[in-house]
Amino acid sequence: MSATVQHRLRKSHGYDIFVRDYPGDDDLAPLVFVHGLGESGLCFEEIAMHPLLAARRRLVPDLPGYGRSPWPERPLPLAEQARWLAAWIAESCSRPPVLVGHSMGGVVAQLLAEARPGALAALIDVDGNLSGGDCTFSSPAAATSFELFVDHDFRRLLEQVYEDGRRQPALRGYYASLRLAMPAAYHLNARELVEISAPGNLADRLARLETPVIYIAGSPGGASEESLELLARARIRRVKIGPAGHWPFVDQQAAFAEAVAGFLATAGL
């Protein structure tokens, strides 16, 4: 089986989308990785090649407005991203995939699973927003006016991520992706993440999904304690991986791959 990744840019449901496509066994449910706020599929490049995951096809799109996907005419709200992702999955996958959503990507994946229960084989939520305590990057952006953020604060964010990356390796990759992000998309999606996280009901909503779900949290620097308590109350299967920050698949690749492979085996996928 070839491990060569195919990079392609093509129009999909009105948007030009950059996709990393790793070939695999079509008899297995594919993995679709969905990145977070300001991120791109670049963050998944190493974990997607891990031997424990390499048997199945892996698809890694850059969402509209992020990464190497050209900027759309307007930023896409989270619900619209979920609808686009569902349509893209339907045309790109021969069978329902396992969605691996990180941070904002976990929220987008959850919205998709709520709206289209049969579209996914399973959901792996990686440090996805569940409460206000998870809005580390989104809260400061949401508290700033659109004009000020686009004209000034987005550059300050880039500078801060660059400096913090001197001590946190995962942020070095984030900086590379963040430089390509559409500031207007970042600001809109940051505001939405704060709004959807504030009620603290996303864990209960996860528990009501018909789709098999696991939540993987980086520890101690990932999901907030409030969110971990909400997951426990909702009785959602969860795994802590550490020591790790918000990108556990970068900080602890082997442990993350083992957690994903174990979940897939238990789910019969």
Side-chain angles (χ1 to χ4, degrees), residues 177-231:
S177 293
L178 193 60
R179 292 179 64 223
L180 302 176
M182 181 182 187
Y186 191 104
H187 187 263
L188 170 64
N189 295 153
R191 283 179 30 236
E192 292 182 299
L193 287 172
V194 171
E195 291 169 2
I196 200 171
S197 301
N201 63 355
L202 286 171
D204 288 335
R205 288 166 58 178
L206 271 179
R208 291 196 294 268
L209 292 178
E210 299 174 16
T211 306
V213 175
I214 188 172
Y215 190 98
I216 299 179
S219 179
S224 66
E225 287 301 321
E226 178 185 2
S227 292
L228 294 174
E229 291 174 8
L230 291 170
L231 287 168

Side-chain angles (χ1 to χ4, degrees), residues 13 20 27 38 60 68 74-75 88 90-91 94 101 118-119 137 167-168 184 186 190 193 197 206 212 228 255 263:
H13 299 277
R20 298 160 181 83
D27 291 331
V60 190
R68 293 169 68 179
R74 60 175 180 81
W88 177 81
E91 73 174 11
S94 59
F137 285 98
R167 299 177 300 279
Q168 302 176 55
Y186 191 104
L193 287 172
S197 301
L206 271 179
L228 294 174
F263 170 68

